[in-house]
Amino acid sequence: MTSAPPSAPPFALIATDLDGTLLRAGDTVSARSYAALATARAAGAQHIIVTGRPVPQVRHVLDGLGYTGLAVCGQGAQVYDTARGHLLHAVEMDRELAEEALGKIEAEIGEVWAAVDQEGVDAAMLIGPGYRMPHPHLPTVRVRQRADLWAAPINKVLLQHPELDDDELTELARGVVGHMVNVTMAGEHTVELQPLGVDKASGLALAAEVLGVGGSRTIAFGDMPNDVPMFAWAAHGVAMANAHRELVAVADEVTLSNEDDGIAVVLERLFG
């Protein structure tokens, strides 16, 4: 009697956001989440990290996790091969377009505080006057004037407003320049501008193609509106209990929070 062939895993690709999703406080991953991901990989699934952080601000986390796969970084603008330490794909943002978009936003809602992520695996995050870094432990370079932000190639612009909250700033900026750039909210005090067509779904689709997997066999985990395109691309989207309401509205299910091992709970159910 021949034995039955092993069954395929319920999903071939597990795409996880980092902040507020896989990571706990202090940029750590729990032992339970490690074990659940290991079980899923043993069953044949691949794991890919999809984060809004650019490579220079996430590389230390990837190294600490012992992660050696592909990582989608910079809100989809970068596909990074962690094992080899180089970019497979990168999209620059036109700096004249970025400056024009900022001008149009400020003409509508007054002064905004801006920062940029420069392009490259060893590039800097430049912070303009007034900008408050939501993750003060990450490396940044403060510049004295707005013009200094455009000194070298960038992949995105980050915005804050002295009075408007994140939802208000995102909505108003999208209404003013949404035809010019992609406007998304990636976290607390993190409203971002990127080239049209660049988002987590575009970067994930490129990386998944390299891995030989399509969206129909992908499960995605996230917590913020910047994860909405990724959920639309994947077959199944799981929002964390701490997720923004905009993401919860399009999720296929809601799990526990990142601090309560929400990813592990779902993977244990699916992969045993």
Side-chain angles (χ1 to χ4, degrees):
M1 179 182 294
T2 59
S3 60
S7 59
F11 293 99
L13 185 62
I14 302 162
T16 63
D17 174 46
L18 282 180
D19 296 290
T21 303
L22 179 62
L23 295 182
R24 292 173 143 190
D27 283 355
T28 60
V29 176
S30 72
R32 184 179 178 185
S33 291
Y34 267 121
L37 285 166
T39 298
R41 288 193 298 269
Q46 299 184 77
H47 173 220
I48 187 166
I49 286 173
V50 186
T51 177
R53 297 195 206 185
V55 171
Q57 293 192 353
V58 77
R59 193 163 42 196
H60 68 288
V61 176
L62 301 177
D63 290 344
L65 297 177
Y67 184 83
T68 57
L70 299 184
V72 178
C73 304
Q75 218 64 270
Q78 301 171 319
V79 177
Y80 179 60
D81 184 337
T82 61
R84 299 181 181 180
H86 73 257
L87 289 168
L88 300 181
H89 174 79
V91 179
E92 291 183 12
M93 185 172 192
D94 184 284
R95 284 169 277 174
E96 290 186 4
L97 175 65
E99 192 170 16
E100 181 184 356
L102 277 181
K104 288 181 177 295
I105 292 170
E106 290 185 318
E108 185 72 21
I109 63 175
E111 181 185 18
V112 297
W113 302 326
V116 300
D117 284 328
Q118 293 184 321
E119 179 52 50
V121 297
D122 296 308
M125 179 180 184
L126 304 183
I127 295 179
Y131 190 90
R132 300 161 296 177
M133 184 61 183
H135 302 288
H137 62 286
L138 296 178
T140 59
V141 176
R142 188 166 289 281
V143 299
R144 299 181 63 181
Q145 54 189 0
R146 171 76 60 81
D148 295 333
L149 297 177
W150 322 121
I154 64 173
N155 58 51
K156 64 179 174 180
V157 180
L158 302 93
L159 304 181
Q160 295 172 352
H161 192 276
E163 298 175 0
L164 299 174
D165 66 25
D166 300 326
D167 290 304
E168 293 169 329
L169 178 56
T170 301
E171 182 179 358
L172 289 169
R174 192 172 287 157
V176 175
V177 298
H179 63 292
M180 300 170 56
V181 295
N182 181 38
V183 183
T184 190
M185 186 204 307
E188 186 178 8
H189 307 307
T190 311
V191 177
E192 302 182 353
L193 310 180
Q194 288 190 281
L196 287 174
V198 174
D199 54 32
K200 284 193 173 185
S202 67
L204 178 56
L206 287 169
E209 184 177 2
V210 173
L211 299 174
V213 182
S216 64
R217 299 206 62 207
T218 299
I219 182 172
F221 295 84
D223 72 309
M224 293 300 293
N226 63 325
D227 295 312
V228 169
M230 180 168 70
F231 277 26
W233 182 84
H236 194 79
V238 183
M240 315 305 289
N242 47 291
H244 189 280
R245 62 182 180 278
E246 188 175 328
L247 187 68
V248 171
V250 300
D252 295 295
E253 69 172 292
V254 178
T255 186
L256 300 181
S257 73
N258 58 319
E259 296 293 341
D260 293 323
D261 296 317
I263 288 178
V265 169
V266 175
L267 295 184
E268 288 164 358
R269 185 189 79 221
L270 293 174
F271 295 91

